[in-house]
Amino acid sequence: GDISRSFSGLPCQYWDTNNPLHPVDTSLQDADFPDRSKRMARNYCRNPNHQYAMPWCYTLDPNVIDEPCDVPLCSYEDCRITGPGMEYSGSLNRTSSDRPCIFWSEKAILNYEITQNVTLQPSDEHKRKLPDYRFPDGSRKLAGNRCRNPNGDPSGPWCLVERDSMALKTSYDMEYCNVPFCDTPGDHKSFSIIEYLHSQYFYC
């Protein structure tokens, strides 16, 4: 894609420039980019070293070295093409144990912090509150009560279920959903296989 601004709207620095504002990691090679070179990647958001769980860039703000970008997830309705399955946007709304999923927009879980099964570094704080841009539907509300993976859990799509509906205070469990893998990525969307191989999650 050609998005060239970070999540907070800062313009991106060119990956291949003679006068960088912020030094570019010297370990980055042309083969790390889906464009096949840093020059061809221009100042577009990319994820050559999986520094973040999403595309990012060096910024042109002297106070901000790098930042993730708001690149939308590709949408796959029937299956997932990556292990985490962040791109899955299908209608499955029951977990592997056949428990019904809670709506993502329920007020009671709007501030639910995800800490299970995912190691969060200080730079990953954006994963905790599950903002709208982490859903392939575009928002929590549009995701309904369907299985999703907004925090990039490596085990795949999941949802929250009520632990005990008879309790005075409702509590929740995080359970995984049985979302199948696509047989062949190319059968569902045309894309660069280089980009597929170099992406931990599938962004459009």
Side-chain angles (χ1 to χ4, degrees):
D2 59 1
I3 292 177
S4 58
R5 286 185 177 273
S6 70
F7 183 71
S8 62
L10 300 175
C12 294
Q13 171 183 287
Y14 275 74
W15 295 97
D16 184 24
T17 175
N18 294 324
N19 299 296
L21 177 62
H22 301 293
V24 176
D25 185 349
T26 56
S27 69
L28 296 180
Q29 303 297 314
D30 286 345
D32 296 326
F33 293 81
D35 321 81
R36 295 180 179 269
S37 77
K38 287 185 282 188
R39 181 175 294 277
M40 291 297 292
R42 298 174 60 83
N43 64 333
Y44 302 142
C45 297
R46 295 291 184 262
N47 195 10
N49 59 356
H50 302 305
Q51 177 171 324
Y52 294 99
M54 62 185 70
W56 60 278
C57 70
Y58 291 104
T59 81
L60 290 179
D61 185 324
N63 299 312
V64 181
I65 297 176
D66 55 63
E67 193 173 55
C69 301
D70 187 10
V71 178
L73 286 160
C74 296
S75 178
Y76 289 80
E77 296 184 357
D78 302 319
C79 53
R80 53 174 162 153
I81 65 170
T82 64
M86 289 182 70
E87 68 282 353
Y88 174 69
S89 63
S91 59
L92 183 64
N93 61 3
R94 301 187 78 88
T95 67
S96 297
S97 63
D98 202 36
R99 298 173 71 184
C101 296
I102 293 172
F103 279 79
W104 294 99
S105 58
E106 284 282 344
K107 290 184 178 180
I109 64 170
L110 283 178
N111 292 321
Y112 186 88
E113 291 193 358
I114 301 304
T115 57
Q116 297 167 270
N117 307 315
V118 176
T119 300
L120 293 175
Q121 303 298 329
S123 60
D124 292 330
E125 190 64 27
H126 59 277
K127 293 182 183 179
R128 288 187 183 274
K129 296 298 184 180
L130 309 183
D132 285 345
Y133 73 88
R134 302 287 290 181
F135 292 83
D137 320 81
S139 72
R140 281 172 171 266
K141 184 176 181 179
L142 291 176
N145 68 331
R146 296 180 285 274
C147 300
R148 296 292 183 262
N149 191 4
N151 68 325
D153 190 304
S155 296
W158 55 275
C159 69
L160 293 175
V161 297
E162 287 191 12
R163 182 175 299 168
D164 184 357
S165 59
M166 300 300 292
L168 293 177
K169 183 177 181 180
T170 304
S171 55
Y172 306 97
D173 284 327
M174 175 183 173
E175 284 198 7
Y176 296 105
C177 304
N178 188 23
V179 177
F181 281 95
C182 302
D183 293 332
T184 305
D187 290 343
H188 300 271
K189 184 179 179 70
S190 176
F191 62 91
S192 165
I193 191 64
I194 299 297
E195 182 175 6
Y196 172 67
L197 292 174
H198 285 272
S199 298
Q200 183 179 2
Y201 310 122
F202 204 73
Y203 289 86
C204 286

